[in-house]
Amino acid sequence: MSGFGDDEEEYQGPVTVVLPGEPGDTRDAGDAGDAGDAADGGGPAASAPVPVEVQAHLAGHFSPLTGDYRWRGRLSASEAITAAFRDGVRTVLVRTPDGFEGNGVLDDPNLWGGHPVRGTGTPPFAVPLIEIDD
């Protein structure tokens, strides 16, 4: 994000940040006789991913040196995202209302409680389609 507004594509508005679900509760060795907790016939069931709605400002560009698309941005403050970050969550799915989504990596919270996010590859916002002539 070199300044939002130069040759970068960008998105500003609501996003859904999908946090991974919990791996499941751990049981005491005394509970080992109960073997039907998960659908796979074994250990504890994992919980579903957790969607969190926040505001975001995202931008990205194609990197000719590496041959990939790089995007980054900032998410507004969210107690759920900060709690997940404290619990070790770094990789999240970022989705815009238009259905675009991309995997991102959370960074340490900023002064306002929000989190910077960055990703490589498909961004969570629309980018222009470029036709290459032969």
Side-chain angles (χ1 to χ4, degrees):
M1 235 171 346
S2 59
F4 291 122
D6 46 11
D7 289 336
E8 296 181 318
E9 291 89 22
E10 67 179 288
Y11 171 82
Q12 188 169 2
V15 297
T16 301
V17 176
V18 182
L19 302 171
E22 295 294 320
D25 58 335
T26 55
R27 298 180 294 163
D28 294 328
D31 293 337
D34 299 351
D37 290 340
D40 62 358
S47 63
V50 179
V52 179
E53 303 288 327
V54 294
Q55 293 293 312
H57 193 174
L58 308 169
H61 65 276
F62 174 74
S63 174
L65 295 175
T66 59
D68 57 10
Y69 194 90
R70 295 177 180 228
W71 59 273
R72 61 178 39 237
R74 47 188 185 260
L75 306 172
S76 63
S78 164
E79 290 181 21
I81 293 173
T82 299
F85 184 83
R86 274 191 299 241
D87 289 342
V89 171
R90 296 298 181 267
T91 303
V92 296
L93 179 70
V94 180
R95 182 181 303 133
T96 57
D98 296 331
F100 296 100
E101 60 186 32
N103 290 314
V105 177
L106 295 174
D107 287 330
D108 291 324
N110 59 29
L111 293 174
W112 302 274
H115 287 267
V117 63
R118 59 188 158 75
T120 302
T122 305
F125 50 88
V127 294
L129 179 63
I130 298 173
E131 295 289 331
I132 299 175
D133 295 331
D134 289 329

XYZ file of all heavy atoms in Angstrom, residues 12-87:
533
model
N -12.716 -0.377 -0.395
C -12.976 0.175 0.925
C -14.433 -0.083 1.253
O -15.323 0.276 0.482
C -12.680 1.675 0.953
C -12.745 2.258 2.338
C -12.195 3.679 2.381
O -11.797 4.246 1.377
N -12.158 4.246 3.564
N -14.676 -0.754 2.380
C -16.037 -1.063 2.772
C -16.100 -2.271 3.688
O -15.094 -2.691 4.258
N -17.283 -2.864 3.804
C -17.444 -4.006 4.708
C -16.805 -5.274 4.150
O -16.792 -5.504 2.944
C -18.960 -4.167 4.804
C -19.475 -3.617 3.521
C -18.543 -2.500 3.146
N -16.250 -6.081 5.036
C -15.717 -7.398 4.679
C -16.118 -8.388 5.773
O -16.436 -7.999 6.889
C -14.177 -7.419 4.523
C -13.719 -6.516 3.400
C -13.479 -7.073 5.812
N -16.084 -9.646 5.415
C -16.244 -10.719 6.390
C -14.890 -11.389 6.549
O -14.305 -11.839 5.563
C -17.283 -11.758 5.910
O -18.534 -11.098 5.714
C -17.439 -12.879 6.928
N -14.392 -11.396 7.760
C -13.142 -12.088 8.065
C -13.541 -13.421 8.682
O -14.225 -13.462 9.712
C -12.266 -11.271 9.042
C -11.015 -12.041 9.422
C -11.908 -9.930 8.427
N -13.162 -14.511 8.026
C -13.518 -15.843 8.506
C -12.356 -16.396 9.316
O -11.285 -16.673 8.778
C -13.883 -16.779 7.338
C -14.294 -18.143 7.863
C -14.985 -16.167 6.477
N -12.593 -16.533 10.612
C -11.594 -17.078 11.530
C -11.754 -18.593 11.566
O -12.875 -19.100 11.503
C -11.798 -16.510 12.937
C -11.742 -14.987 13.059
C -12.187 -14.557 14.446
C -10.349 -14.489 12.761
N -10.643 -19.330 11.663
C -10.770 -20.787 11.725
C -11.514 -21.210 12.981
O -11.454 -20.539 14.011
C -9.325 -21.283 11.729
C -8.506 -20.124 12.141
C -9.264 -18.883 11.766
N -12.224 -22.341 12.898
C -12.936 -22.873 14.054
C -11.980 -23.463 15.070
O -10.799 -23.683 14.803
N -12.482 -23.715 16.237
C -11.690 -24.336 17.291
C -11.420 -25.793 16.927
O -12.280 -26.457 16.366
C -12.433 -24.271 18.623
C -12.633 -22.862 19.132
C -11.333 -22.182 19.483
O -10.443 -22.831 20.060
O -11.206 -20.993 19.184
N -10.230 -26.316 17.248
C -9.925 -27.705 16.901
C -10.746 -28.717 17.683
O -10.730 -29.886 17.389
C -8.433 -27.826 17.219
C -8.143 -26.721 18.154
C -9.121 -25.624 17.861
N -11.486 -28.310 18.678
C -12.281 -29.235 19.484
C -11.809 -29.201 20.921
O -10.701 -28.777 21.212
N -12.688 -29.638 21.810
C -12.291 -29.620 23.213
C -11.439 -30.836 23.524
O -11.562 -31.872 22.906
C -13.524 -29.578 24.122
C -14.445 -30.763 23.892
O -14.418 -31.330 22.777
O -15.185 -31.127 24.819
N -10.539 -30.665 24.478
C -9.697 -31.782 24.885
C -10.370 -32.445 26.079
O -10.968 -31.779 26.916
C -8.283 -31.301 25.258
O -8.398 -30.294 26.267
C -7.578 -30.737 24.049
N -10.247 -33.782 26.148
C -10.905 -34.519 27.214
C -9.875 -35.135 28.143
O -8.746 -35.388 27.750
C -11.781 -35.623 26.620
C -12.876 -35.063 25.757
C -13.715 -36.158 25.197
N -12.914 -36.958 24.285
C -13.242 -38.157 23.872
N -14.344 -38.716 24.275
N -12.471 -38.821 23.042
N -10.306 -35.399 29.362
C -9.455 -36.098 30.318
C -9.266 -37.532 29.863
O -10.082 -38.085 29.139
C -10.108 -36.120 31.714
C -10.220 -34.726 32.304
O -9.340 -33.896 32.006
O -11.186 -34.488 33.047
N -8.210 -38.156 30.335
C -7.972 -39.564 30.014
C -9.109 -40.426 30.549
O -9.426 -41.465 29.994
C -6.635 -40.020 30.590
N -9.800 -39.974 31.606
C -10.922 -40.716 32.158
C -12.123 -40.741 31.238
O -13.000 -41.575 31.360
N -12.201 -39.813 30.295
C -13.308 -39.765 29.349
C -13.022 -40.553 28.089
O -13.785 -40.506 27.138
C -13.608 -38.308 28.946
C -14.146 -37.507 30.109
O -14.679 -38.130 31.052
O -14.019 -36.271 30.080
N -11.907 -41.260 28.019
C -11.491 -41.938 26.801
C -12.474 -43.002 26.353
O -12.483 -43.386 25.192
C -10.095 -42.562 26.988
N -13.362 -43.479 27.224
C -14.319 -44.494 26.840
C -15.415 -43.965 25.933
O -16.096 -44.729 25.271
N -15.635 -42.656 25.900
C -16.662 -42.072 25.041
C -16.070 -41.828 23.678
O -15.454 -40.811 23.436
C -17.160 -40.735 25.620
C -17.787 -40.909 26.991
O -17.990 -42.067 27.394
O -18.049 -39.890 27.649
N -16.278 -42.739 22.750
C -15.610 -42.648 21.455
C -16.534 -42.196 20.349
O -16.273 -42.396 19.211
C -15.001 -44.004 21.084
N -17.630 -41.585 20.593
C -18.520 -41.219 19.497
C -18.736 -39.736 19.371
O -19.758 -39.309 18.880
N -17.801 -38.897 19.815
C -18.001 -37.458 19.812
C -17.996 -36.847 18.422
O -18.767 -35.955 18.136
C -16.932 -36.767 20.660
C -17.119 -37.056 22.143
O -18.230 -37.442 22.538
O -16.148 -36.883 22.884
N -17.098 -37.247 17.559
C -16.977 -36.625 16.245
C -17.586 -37.513 15.176
O -17.676 -38.720 15.326
C -15.501 -36.363 15.922
N -17.986 -36.895 14.070
C -18.596 -37.636 12.976
C -17.615 -38.625 12.363
O -18.018 -39.613 11.770
C -19.100 -36.666 11.911
N -16.318 -38.372 12.503
C -15.331 -39.277 11.929
C -15.088 -40.493 12.818
O -14.219 -41.302 12.534
C -14.020 -38.549 11.636
C -13.356 -37.985 12.897
O -13.924 -38.134 13.994
O -12.279 -37.398 12.766
N -15.862 -40.597 13.912
C -15.780 -41.783 14.740
C -14.665 -41.765 15.761
O -14.312 -42.789 16.302
N -14.124 -40.623 16.080
C -13.012 -40.613 17.018
C -13.075 -39.483 17.994
O -13.981 -39.383 18.789
N -12.121 -38.582 17.891
C -11.901 -37.511 18.854
C -12.965 -36.444 18.853
O -14.016 -36.572 18.241
N -12.693 -35.375 19.553
C -13.670 -34.296 19.693
C -13.919 -33.586 18.371
O -13.045 -33.484 17.525
C -13.021 -33.352 20.709
C -11.565 -33.675 20.668
C -11.456 -35.118 20.268
N -15.139 -33.116 18.205
C -15.525 -32.436 16.970
C -14.976 -31.017 16.941
O -14.930 -30.333 17.955
C -17.043 -32.395 16.856
N -14.565 -30.577 15.764
C -14.094 -29.202 15.589
C -15.297 -28.299 15.366
O -16.287 -28.705 14.770
C -13.146 -29.115 14.402
N -15.210 -27.064 15.829
C -16.308 -26.131 15.622
C -16.189 -25.487 14.245
O -15.138 -25.516 13.614
C -16.301 -25.060 16.718
O -15.116 -24.301 16.652
N -17.265 -24.907 13.795
C -17.316 -24.284 12.475
C -16.496 -22.994 12.465
O -16.301 -22.368 13.507
C -18.760 -23.977 12.113
N -16.021 -22.581 11.289
C -15.325 -21.297 11.181
C -16.225 -20.150 11.656
O -17.449 -20.238 11.565
C -15.029 -21.171 9.686
C -15.038 -22.582 9.185
C -16.052 -23.299 10.018
N -15.611 -19.091 12.145
C -16.348 -17.969 12.721
C -16.249 -16.751 11.812
O -15.160 -16.204 11.631
C -15.779 -17.619 14.117
C -16.515 -16.440 14.728
C -15.807 -18.823 15.030
N -17.377 -16.300 11.217
C -17.340 -15.086 10.391
C -17.467 -13.832 11.271
O -18.282 -13.788 12.178
C -18.550 -15.240 9.474
C -19.500 -16.103 10.242
C -18.656 -16.983 11.138
N -16.638 -12.834 10.992
C -16.661 -11.577 11.737
C -16.765 -10.440 10.717
O -15.950 -10.351 9.800
C -15.381 -11.410 12.589
C -15.403 -10.082 13.329
C -15.214 -12.568 13.551
N -17.769 -9.585 10.881
C -17.984 -8.447 9.970
C -17.211 -7.227 10.480
O -17.360 -6.844 11.645
C -19.466 -8.099 9.897
C -20.363 -9.239 9.452
C -20.212 -9.559 7.982
O -19.956 -8.634 7.192
O -20.346 -10.741 7.629
N -16.373 -6.638 9.629
C -15.624 -5.427 9.969
C -15.532 -4.537 8.730
O -15.863 -4.961 7.621
C -14.191 -5.731 10.485
C -14.241 -6.465 11.811
C -13.392 -6.506 9.471
N -15.048 -3.330 8.914
C -14.755 -2.433 7.803
C -13.290 -2.616 7.414
O -12.456 -2.920 8.266
C -15.002 -0.967 8.200
C -16.463 -0.638 8.448
C -17.267 -0.715 7.161
O -16.888 -0.172 6.132
N -18.395 -1.412 7.222
N -12.990 -2.447 6.130
C -11.614 -2.639 5.674
C -11.270 -1.632 4.592
O -12.145 -1.117 3.887
C -11.430 -4.055 5.140
N -9.990 -1.371 4.460
C -9.434 -0.596 3.346
C -8.302 -1.454 2.807
O -7.312 -1.690 3.500
C -8.934 0.754 3.818
C -8.637 1.690 2.684
N -8.287 2.992 2.894
C -8.661 1.527 1.335
C -8.082 3.582 1.720
N -8.300 2.702 0.769
N -8.478 -1.962 1.580
C -7.536 -2.902 0.980
C -7.052 -2.369 -0.358
O -7.802 -1.694 -1.064
C -8.213 -4.261 0.751
C -8.925 -4.887 1.940
C -9.759 -6.078 1.493
C -7.913 -5.306 2.990
N -5.826 -2.680 -0.710
C -5.282 -2.295 -2.012
C -4.256 -3.329 -2.432
O -3.695 -4.044 -1.599
C -4.635 -0.913 -1.953
N -4.010 -3.413 -3.740
C -3.039 -4.377 -4.213
C -2.518 -4.034 -5.585
O -3.007 -3.119 -6.249
N -1.519 -4.793 -6.014
C -0.920 -4.585 -7.326
C -0.220 -5.858 -7.785
O 0.160 -6.700 -6.971
C 0.074 -3.418 -7.293
C 1.260 -3.699 -6.425
N 1.251 -3.503 -5.062
C 2.482 -4.193 -6.716
C 2.420 -3.848 -4.561
N 3.188 -4.284 -5.536
N -0.060 -5.987 -9.083
C 0.705 -7.085 -9.647
C 2.181 -6.760 -9.486
O 2.619 -5.650 -9.761
C 0.370 -7.263 -11.132
C 1.222 -8.296 -11.810
C 1.008 -9.647 -11.579
C 2.256 -7.923 -12.660
C 1.813 -10.600 -12.191
C 3.053 -8.860 -13.269
C 2.825 -10.211 -13.040
N 2.962 -7.729 -9.025
C 4.390 -7.542 -8.848
C 5.127 -8.205 -10.012
O 5.191 -9.434 -10.079
C 4.861 -8.162 -7.525
O 6.257 -8.095 -7.432
N 5.680 -7.424 -10.922
C 6.368 -8.024 -12.058
C 7.657 -8.754 -11.663
O 8.099 -9.643 -12.380
C 6.671 -6.838 -12.968
C 6.619 -5.645 -12.092
C 5.668 -5.973 -10.982
N 8.231 -8.407 -10.537
C 9.462 -9.081 -10.106
C 9.211 -10.507 -9.636
O 10.008 -11.403 -9.871
C 10.149 -8.286 -8.997
C 10.662 -6.906 -9.407
C 11.206 -6.184 -8.195
C 11.708 -7.034 -10.485
N 8.095 -10.714 -8.957
C 7.793 -12.046 -8.433
C 6.729 -12.767 -9.247
O 6.524 -13.961 -9.069
C 7.339 -11.961 -6.968
O 6.178 -11.133 -6.888
C 8.450 -11.416 -6.091
N 6.017 -12.036 -10.098
C 4.991 -12.640 -10.944
C 3.710 -12.980 -10.215
O 2.945 -13.813 -10.673
N 3.450 -12.337 -9.089
C 2.218 -12.605 -8.363
C 1.515 -11.302 -8.001
O 2.033 -10.215 -8.216
C 2.485 -13.442 -7.113
C 3.490 -12.798 -6.165
O 3.848 -11.628 -6.367
O 3.924 -13.473 -5.218
N 0.303 -11.443 -7.483
C -0.479 -10.291 -7.049
C -0.330 -10.171 -5.540
O -0.479 -11.148 -4.806
C -1.952 -10.473 -7.429
C -2.733 -9.203 -7.319
C -2.836 -8.337 -8.401
C -3.362 -8.841 -6.145
C -3.542 -7.149 -8.309
C -4.069 -7.663 -6.037
C -4.157 -6.823 -7.120
O -4.852 -5.642 -7.023
N -0.008 -8.972 -5.076
C 0.163 -8.730 -3.641
C -0.847 -7.690 -3.195
O -1.022 -6.667 -3.851
C 1.575 -8.244 -3.347
C 2.576 -9.320 -3.668
C 3.975 -8.848 -3.456
N 4.871 -9.935 -3.788
C 5.863 -10.331 -3.029
N 6.121 -9.688 -1.915
N 6.615 -11.336 -3.396
N -1.508 -7.964 -2.081
C -2.478 -7.023 -1.543
C -2.270 -6.885 -0.039
O -1.700 -7.742 0.600
C -3.913 -7.452 -1.869
C -4.303 -8.808 -1.354
C -4.125 -9.999 -1.979
C -4.928 -9.091 -0.096
N -4.608 -11.016 -1.194
C -5.105 -10.488 -0.038
C -5.348 -8.316 0.977
C -5.695 -11.109 1.052
C -5.930 -8.941 2.063
C -6.109 -10.322 2.086
N -2.688 -5.770 0.474
C -2.599 -5.516 1.911
C -3.625 -4.472 2.284
O -4.209 -3.829 1.430
C -1.204 -5.094 2.329
C -0.678 -3.834 1.711
C 0.718 -3.453 2.210
N 1.573 -4.582 2.380
C 2.195 -4.905 3.541
N 2.075 -4.150 4.590
N 2.948 -5.966 3.634
N -3.839 -4.308 3.556
C -4.822 -3.332 4.007
C -4.922 -3.322 5.508
O -4.079 -3.868 6.225
N -5.990 -2.692 5.961
C -6.207 -2.619 7.399
C -7.675 -2.914 7.696
O -8.570 -2.529 6.940
C -5.780 -1.278 7.965
C -6.243 -0.097 7.213
C -5.610 1.193 7.754
N -6.204 2.303 7.043
C -5.613 2.920 6.036
N -4.417 2.564 5.648
N -6.223 3.898 5.420
N -7.871 -3.629 8.790
C -9.198 -3.996 9.260
C -9.545 -3.134 10.457
O -8.674 -2.817 11.268
C -9.235 -5.473 9.674
C -8.766 -6.490 8.638
C -8.686 -7.878 9.265
C -9.701 -6.487 7.439
N -10.818 -2.776 10.594
C -11.231 -2.005 11.763
C -11.158 -2.875 13.011
O -11.054 -4.101 12.941
C -12.647 -1.458 11.561
O -13.578 -2.511 11.429
N -11.218 -2.230 14.161
C -11.088 -2.931 15.437
C -12.208 -3.950 15.622
O -13.359 -3.702 15.283
C -11.112 -1.925 16.583
N -11.825 -5.115 16.135
C -12.783 -6.186 16.424
C -12.243 -7.018 17.576
O -11.137 -7.550 17.503
C -12.989 -7.073 15.194
O -13.612 -8.288 15.562
N -13.043 -7.145 18.634
C -12.613 -7.951 19.782
C -12.407 -9.406 19.390
O -11.487 -10.057 19.867
C -13.633 -7.840 20.910
C -13.670 -6.482 21.568
C -14.686 -6.417 22.691
O -15.073 -7.477 23.234
O -15.091 -5.304 23.045
N -13.258 -9.922 18.499
C -13.151 -11.332 18.088
C -11.850 -11.587 17.326
O -11.178 -12.600 17.550
C -14.351 -11.722 17.233
N -11.482 -10.665 16.432
C -10.244 -10.846 15.665
C -9.031 -10.715 16.576
O -8.087 -11.500 16.492
C -10.184 -9.858 14.486
C -11.286 -10.201 13.471
C -8.820 -9.892 13.812
C -11.441 -9.200 12.349
N -9.054 -9.743 17.479
C -7.931 -9.575 18.403
C -7.789 -10.784 19.320
O -6.679 -11.251 19.573
C -8.092 -8.280 19.217
O -8.100 -7.173 18.299
C -6.959 -8.088 20.204
N -8.898 -11.330 19.802
C -8.839 -12.520 20.658
C -8.265 -13.705 19.886
O -7.439 -14.452 20.409
C -10.230 -12.849 21.196
N -8.692 -13.877 18.632
C -8.160 -14.971 17.818
C -6.670 -14.776 17.567
O -5.890 -15.728 17.613
C -8.921 -15.057 16.496
N -6.247 -13.531 17.315
C -4.834 -13.232 17.100
C -4.021 -13.593 18.344
O -2.960 -14.194 18.258
C -4.657 -11.756 16.736
C -3.246 -11.383 16.405
C -2.736 -11.603 15.141
C -2.418 -10.817 17.361
C -1.429 -11.261 14.827
C -1.107 -10.472 17.066
C -0.618 -10.694 15.794
N -4.541 -13.226 19.523
C -3.855 -13.566 20.785
C -3.759 -15.075 20.982
O -2.815 -15.569 21.582
C -4.574 -12.943 21.979
C -4.137 -11.532 22.277
C -4.701 -11.113 23.606
N -6.155 -11.168 23.541
C -6.966 -10.142 23.714
N -6.480 -8.981 24.032
N -8.258 -10.277 23.612
N -4.741 -15.810 20.442
C -4.739 -17.278 20.550
C -3.883 -17.939 19.475
O -3.841 -19.156 19.381
C -6.164 -17.818 20.466
C -6.981 -17.504 21.706
O -6.388 -17.176 22.754
O -8.227 -17.580 21.619
